[in-house]
Amino acid sequence: MQEEYDVEVEWKGFELNPETPRGGISLDQLFPGRGEAMRAHAEQFGRSFGVSLKVPARMSNTRRVLAVTEWAKDQGRFQAFHQAAMEAYWRRGEDLESPDVLARLAEQAGLPGEGARGAMDSPEYQARLDTLRDEARRDSVRGIPTFFIGKTRVVGCQPYEAFEQAVQLAGARRRQ
């Protein structure tokens, strides 16, 4: 979208399920009798876009990875860390709560692993996550991803045309 339209994107981390305990929870526990079907559906959905997903059997607590993501933003390495984390989780099924995994992903993104270890439980970044959660509640965010484009809200995985229509309604100019 940014290649075609004059738009800026501001990513904000949001804990979809903040009550998820450290160590995560199995999808079967979270969605009794539907966990495996949900995994299969998500993997099939990804394949329909030509993307191979490895949906973990456990929903992780995302607080640590979101804190490291905020830290990566402050270091100017958001995009690289975010991409590394998404690949690790959705393609390889890695545990994004693990300090070792987060440190390695930070290093892949050009950041010091020890900095990631310090950020994951840092009161500063934990407080920032609380502020983001409060903001999301105020804005009635209940699904991820949620995009606010002008006065239009786009929720979930939507076709490109939905985003294009929203940016046009918001008055974004097409790049030459």
Side-chain angles (χ1 to χ4, degrees):
M1 186 64 50
Q2 288 180 291
E3 294 83 24
E4 291 186 49
Y5 289 90
D6 187 21
V7 295
E8 287 186 33
V9 175
E10 179 186 4
W11 182 90
K12 295 182 179 185
F14 170 65
E15 292 176 277
L16 184 58
N17 296 297
E19 66 284 349
T20 302
R22 278 249 171 109
I25 186 169
S26 76
L27 291 182
D28 287 327
Q29 241 182 311
L30 195 59
F31 306 105
R34 300 185 349 237
E36 189 54 41
M38 292 177 79
R39 286 181 66 209
H41 174 75
E43 289 174 359
Q44 176 56 41
F45 184 75
R47 282 192 297 277
S48 74
F49 288 95
V51 177
S52 176
L53 299 177
K54 183 178 181 180
V55 178
R58 297 185 71 72
M59 179 181 291
S60 296
N61 177 301
T62 58
R63 198 146 175 96
R64 279 184 163 165
V65 69
L66 290 172
V68 176
T69 303
E70 289 297 317
W71 171 74
K73 268 194 218 177
D74 288 352
Q75 309 308 307
R77 301 295 301 160
F78 163 77
Q79 193 62 41
F81 180 78
H82 185 254
Q83 185 65 38
M86 296 300 268
E87 288 280 328
Y89 187 76
W90 292 110
R91 296 273 177 106
R92 298 188 302 273
E94 293 188 48
D95 178 7
L96 295 186
E97 290 185 62
S98 164
D100 292 337
V101 169
L102 292 173
R104 179 175 45 78
L105 295 175
E107 289 169 356
Q108 286 175 5
L111 294 162
E114 285 309 308
R117 288 179 188 279
M120 65 184 69
D121 294 316
S122 157
E124 173 189 355
Y125 293 109
Q126 294 297 317
R128 192 181 298 182
L129 295 179
D130 292 340
T131 299
L132 289 168
R133 181 182 56 223
D134 293 344
E135 182 181 325
R137 283 185 183 147
R138 220 178 24 257
D139 291 338
S140 300
V141 173
R142 292 186 180 84
I144 56 171
T146 296
F147 299 88
F148 293 93
I149 305 168
K151 294 182 181 182
T152 303
R153 178 186 302 226
V154 180
V155 180
C157 186
Q158 300 295 325
Y160 180 83
E161 293 77 22
F163 294 98
E164 187 170 40
Q165 181 181 22
V167 298
Q168 288 172 349
L169 284 171
R173 289 188 217 129
R174 188 178 282 277
R175 295 186 190 272
Q176 298 300 330

